[in-house]
Amino acid sequence: MDEIVKRIQALARMAFVLSIGALMLGFIAFLLSWIAPSEDGKGVPLLLLAPGIALLLAGIILLVKALRSPADKWQDTYRTCVKVLGVIAVIAVAAIVLIAVIVAERSNIWQLILVALIGLQGPLALLATARHMKRAVSA
């Protein structure tokens, strides 16, 4: 029983860490919009909106799953969360690409690329978390 409790607590900790990542991306976006040199650069921080929302949504889902799932079904809970995190990561990457295409016309391309790379850290964190959870189930 102690192992099961640790697994569910680990799920809640992962949710907390993903939410902190969303907060950090939001703070970076706020700083970028605040220090933008011109009106054209104000759209670039929108690239961080999708991965920030994705991290926050994933954190909420993991927390709800940790609180609502029966303790003896932790493997099924982890498997479900792995699938959900993968889908959210793919959607976030698609949103980043779409926003980059829309904003590309009126902003510096190098600035856009650098901010997009920062934004891709959100989906990469989701995929890394999903991989970690998948390994925990198979172990």
Side-chain angles (χ1 to χ4, degrees):
M1 186 66 171
D2 190 40
E3 177 69 24
I4 294 172
V5 171
K6 286 181 182 179
R7 297 289 185 176
I8 299 299
Q9 287 175 344
L11 192 61
R13 282 192 303 270
M14 285 183 255
F16 179 73
V17 169
L18 291 175
S19 299
I20 294 294
L23 182 66
M24 289 172 42
L25 282 176
F27 182 69
I28 292 169
F30 173 74
L31 283 177
L32 286 174
S33 66
W34 186 37
I35 63 172
S38 66
E39 208 50 45
D40 295 337
K42 296 276 186 191
V44 174
L46 288 176
L47 286 171
L48 301 179
L49 185 64
I53 290 173
L55 284 174
L56 188 60
L57 180 66
I60 290 170
I61 289 171
L62 290 182
L63 187 61
V64 168
K65 282 289 197 181
L67 294 175
R68 297 260 181 194
S69 66
D72 57 341
K73 303 277 187 188
W74 71 267
Q75 292 99 344
D76 295 334
T77 303
Y78 271 40
R79 285 187 194 102
T80 303
C81 290
V82 166
K83 291 176 188 173
V84 170
L85 291 178
V87 169
I88 292 173
V90 169
I91 292 171
V93 169
I96 290 170
V97 170
L98 181 65
I99 293 170
V101 168
I102 292 171
V103 177
E105 296 175 357
R106 51 193 166 123
S107 62
N108 182 352
I109 192 69
W110 295 111
Q111 182 185 21
L112 188 69
I113 290 171
L114 288 173
V115 175
L117 288 174
I118 292 170
L120 285 176
Q121 290 178 5
L124 286 176
L126 291 175
L127 292 175
T129 304
R131 184 173 181 225
H132 173 72
M133 292 172 71
K134 193 174 189 180
R135 270 201 223 147
V137 170
S138 63

